[in-house]
């Protein structure tokens, strides 16, 4: 499933390169991973693809288009076994 997350660039980040902003703000990807995502067109600035050297301006809309991995299948062949210790101790 495709997902889009977006933010507005704060004015204090005017003049910062796109790659530098992403690496500082969103640390869940390494620098080279962000470079690959930018190159593949998964990071957009104001709706357009951009290079990693793109200079940001306050108010720019930054979008990250990513794919949520599918959930693994759920096992359904299990039983729940519950023993109430209090009931066993009082018997």
């Amino acid at each position: 499933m495709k997902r889009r997350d977006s933010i507005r660039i704060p004015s204090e980040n005017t003049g910062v390169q796109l790659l530098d902003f992403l690496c500082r703000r969103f640390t869940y990807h390494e620098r080279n991973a962000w470079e690959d995502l930018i190159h593949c067109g998964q990071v957009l600035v104001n709706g357009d693809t951009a290079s990693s050297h793109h200079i940001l301006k306050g108010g720019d809309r930054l979008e990250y288009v990513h794919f949520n991995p599918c959930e693994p299948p759920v096992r359904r062949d299990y039983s729940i076994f519950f023993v109430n210790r209090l009931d066993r101790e009082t018997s």
Side-chain angles (χ1 to χ4, degrees):
M1 176 166 60
K2 195 187 292 191
R3 181 175 158 187
R4 280 182 190 255
D5 292 319
S6 67
I7 64 164
R8 290 277 177 197
I9 300 299
S11 59
E12 60 266 16
N13 290 292
T14 295
V16 174
Q17 286 187 358
L18 173 60
L19 182 58
D20 292 336
F21 176 81
L22 291 170
C23 291
R24 280 189 293 204
R25 179 81 158 73
F26 304 105
T27 58
Y28 48 83
H29 287 310
E30 300 276 333
R31 187 174 187 86
N32 60 346
W34 278 121
E35 284 179 300
D36 291 344
L37 291 167
I38 293 168
H39 180 73
C40 291
Q42 288 182 251
V43 178
L44 308 173
V45 178
N46 298 322
D48 296 321
T49 57
S51 75
S52 57
H53 302 292
H54 179 89
I55 303 298
L56 298 170
K57 296 183 292 258
D60 282 347
R61 190 178 85 237
L62 180 67
E63 289 181 87
Y64 172 37
V65 181
H66 54 103
F67 301 90
N68 288 339
C70 294
E71 292 287 329
V74 175
R75 289 188 58 179
R76 298 186 187 276
D77 61 336
Y78 64 89
S79 299
I80 298 174
F81 181 72
F82 176 77
V83 175
N84 186 336
R85 289 183 147 191
L86 294 176
D87 287 343
R88 283 185 29 198
E89 291 175 3
T90 58
S91 301

